[in-house]
Amino acid sequence: MSLLTHLLACLLGMGSWVSINGLWVELPLVVPQVPEGWYLPSYLSVLIQTANVGPLVVTLVHRFRPGALNEAAVIYVIISVGTVASFLLGFLWKETVVVAGAPRSLALLALTFFLAAVDCTSSVTFLPFMMRLKPHFLTTYYIGEGVSGLLPALVALMQGVGVVRCINATQPKDGLSNSSVTFDLQAQYQPAHFSAEAFFFFLSAMMLVCLVAFVLLNHHPAVARQHPSSGRTTGAEQKPHKDRKCVEQRPMMSPCGPDGQKRRSGFGSGVYGCLEVVFIFGVLAWVNALTNTVLPSVQSYSCMPYGNRAYHLSASLAAVSNPLACFVALFLPLRSLLLMGALTVLGSAVGAYIMAMAAFSPCPLLVHVSSGSVLIVLAWVVCVLTLSYVKVMIGVILRDEGHSALVWCGAVVQLGSLLGAVTMFPLVSVYGFFSSGDPCSTTCP
């Protein structure tokens, strides 16, 4: 019956970010029908980062009043709010209200804030909840978290979001006569196979599935047998839980130890020194800043100059790479800090190449050569694959360090995402540092 627990853990992870990920992939259909136009993504970025007030409150409660927060109750509330908000979005996303003399999508923005609060708070509640299960189920949870980005992307692909057809556009040159014309290719977006309303109802159904999965994780007898305290355990399994009461009931920075003595560091079980703790959390913040905000904000700039096919391949394969990395980590849960650092350097170097191509847009390197398209798609796959594996490695490490370590893990994930968004928002939306490429025609020297 451990397969059932794996499935439920995966479905719980899927519900962590499925709403916001789904909203982002649906933007090409939403933007043309709302008064904010293409300023909407900028507004949504600000709302999502504002919603970090949720994880901030949860983290502060865990820090100053350990054990006072009922995580199960909080998770029930946030999943229910996410389900209702996604459902209401299907009815209200096009509704406008006049604010300061101009129409605004007030319902869309308000419901997005609630969805963002749900997803951000999941980072500091779902992970600590996974402490109730055996360690290998945490990797399954990360697979589900990867699916939360993959599944909406696949549904949007079936819906036909962002599919472009290049058509010939013949126009009189300088408006003089029909005998003097210019021939050009223009991008024409194809109509979707089903509506945005249906897509939002699908997101609501996914949140409902997550809610059912959480209920079963709490109450199904087969899941209870997968708790660390149930069944027979080996000596290696008993050691991490020897001082579970101390680890789980005190803040992560507590000096509590198995014999009442102060450990060489106040982090979790005391296995890691202070510099190692700083390294782990520094890498966690850096990796999440790259994968959650920095690189996604320039994906279209880095890929679109190479053509619509390169853009869709990079988006689709990158979405697949996330759960694939988690699946690999299920069988190879390595804890080497040296390997973590090497993979972070590799993923960051590939990410720097992606950023450089975005900065050179609409004329990046090898823009008119097929190898350029292959390189940019491969770069996205390698970058997401390596950095996603690093995130799982850190999750596995912190899982062994106790409940409070996973709370701080979620908090640092959101902090890294916030810093990435604060950095990229002015570059993309205020100063216009990046220029879009035309998927049908790009004139470069």
Side-chain angles (χ1 to χ4, degrees):
M1 294 303 293
S2 65
L3 289 177
L4 172 64
T5 309
H6 277 295
L7 175 62
L8 296 177
C10 183
L11 292 176
L12 178 66
M14 180 199 68
S16 60
W17 282 93
V18 70
S19 299
I20 291 299
N21 288 333
L23 182 59
W24 278 112
V25 299
E26 195 68 3
L27 283 181
L29 284 186
V30 172
V31 163
Q33 303 184 58
V34 296
E36 289 79 7
W38 280 107
Y39 286 104
L40 180 64
S42 300
Y43 297 154
L44 296 186
S45 298
V46 174
L47 284 173
I48 291 170
Q49 299 312 318
T50 305
N52 276 304
V53 65
L56 176 62
V57 170
V58 172
T59 305
L60 291 176
V61 171
H62 274 289
R63 178 64 183 90
F64 295 106
R65 298 194 62 188
L69 193 66
N70 187 338
E71 281 167 350
V74 174
I75 294 175
Y76 276 123
V77 170
I78 64 174
I79 298 179
S80 300
V81 170
T83 304
V84 173
S86 300
F87 185 74
L88 292 177
L89 204 57
F91 293 103
L92 303 176
W93 70 273
K94 286 193 293 187
E95 300 297 323
T96 60
V97 176
V98 176
V99 179
R104 299 293 179 189
S105 303
L106 191 60
L108 173 61
L109 297 174
L111 291 172
T112 298
F113 175 80
F114 283 111
L115 291 178
V118 167
D119 291 357
C120 291
T121 309
S122 72
S123 296
V124 292
T125 52
F126 287 12
L127 282 174
F129 172 81
M130 294 303 296
M131 280 290 298
R132 304 185 183 187
L133 302 176
K134 293 178 181 178
H136 55 275
F137 291 109
L138 180 64
T139 306
T140 309
Y141 168 85
Y142 275 113
I143 294 177
E145 194 174 82
V147 172
S148 72
L150 173 62
L151 188 59
L154 292 178
V155 174
L157 192 62
M158 291 186 290
Q159 186 184 14
V161 172
V163 176
V164 176
R165 185 178 66 178
C166 298
I167 61 172
N168 285 324
T170 304
Q171 298 176 347
K173 188 175 182 179
D174 299 327
L176 297 178
S177 66
N178 292 333
S179 60
S180 179
V181 297
T182 58
F183 296 92
D184 193 14
L185 290 176
Q186 291 185 354
Q188 183 182 74
Y189 287 89
Q190 302 301 294
H193 299 303
F194 53 88
S195 66
E197 288 85 353
F199 185 85
F200 290 134
F201 292 146
F202 160 77
L203 294 182
S204 179
M206 290 300 97
M207 290 300 297
L208 186 60
V209 169
C210 175
L211 179 60
V212 173
F214 183 68
V215 171
L216 293 176
L217 281 172
N218 269 298
H219 302 292
H220 200 286
V223 177
R225 292 195 291 271
Q226 303 303 325
H227 291 181
S229 58
S230 65
R232 298 176 60 185
T233 57
T234 65
E237 289 174 324
Q238 290 174 356
K239 187 175 181 181
H241 309 297
K242 184 179 178 181
D243 0 317
R244 175 172 300 280
K245 184 177 180 181
C246 169
V247 172
E248 292 192 8
Q249 291 185 357
R250 297 196 177 212
M252 189 183 65
M253 300 304 175
S254 165
C256 176
D259 53 0
Q261 301 298 318
K262 188 174 181 179
R263 301 182 177 111
R264 70 185 185 99
S265 82
F267 171 72
S269 62
V271 173
Y272 298 99
C274 293
L275 290 179
E276 291 172 321
V277 172
V278 172
F279 173 75
I280 291 171
F281 281 115
V283 168
L284 182 64
W286 172 257
V287 166
N288 279 278
L290 288 181
T291 57
N292 294 351
T293 51
V294 173
L295 294 178
S297 65
V298 299
Q299 185 166 31
S300 61
Y301 299 106
S302 66
C303 300
M304 197 62 78
Y306 295 100
N308 192 54
R309 177 177 294 183
Y311 174 71
H312 280 284
L313 274 176
S314 66
S316 302
L317 294 180
V320 173
S321 298
N322 191 331
L324 177 61
C326 301
F327 187 76
V328 172
L330 185 63
F331 299 97
L332 294 172
L334 303 177
R335 294 172 172 81
S336 168
L337 298 188
L338 182 62
L339 176 62
M340 181 195 305
L343 290 178
T344 303
V345 171
L346 174 61
S348 301
V350 179
Y353 173 80
I354 293 172
M355 288 293 293
M357 296 307 100
F360 291 151
S361 178
C363 297
L365 299 177
L366 305 174
V367 67
H368 295 305
V369 184
S370 58
S371 58
S373 301
V374 174
L375 279 176
I376 196 65
V377 173
L378 187 62
W380 272 99
V381 171
V382 172
C383 183
V384 174
L385 194 64
T386 54
L387 297 184
S388 296
Y389 186 80
V390 169
K391 287 193 286 187
V392 180
M393 289 177 66
I394 294 176
V396 170
I397 289 173
L398 297 183
R399 168 61 177 79
D400 293 341
E401 298 306 310
H403 177 277
S404 230
L406 285 180
V407 175
W408 282 96
C409 175
V412 173
V413 166
Q414 293 306 118
L415 176 63
S417 302
L418 174 61
L419 293 177
V422 168
T423 302
M424 294 306 297
F425 179 78
L427 295 178
V428 176
S429 303
V430 179
Y431 299 110
F433 186 76
F434 300 93
S435 301
S436 300
D438 192 323
C440 294
S441 60
T442 301
T443 304
C444 294

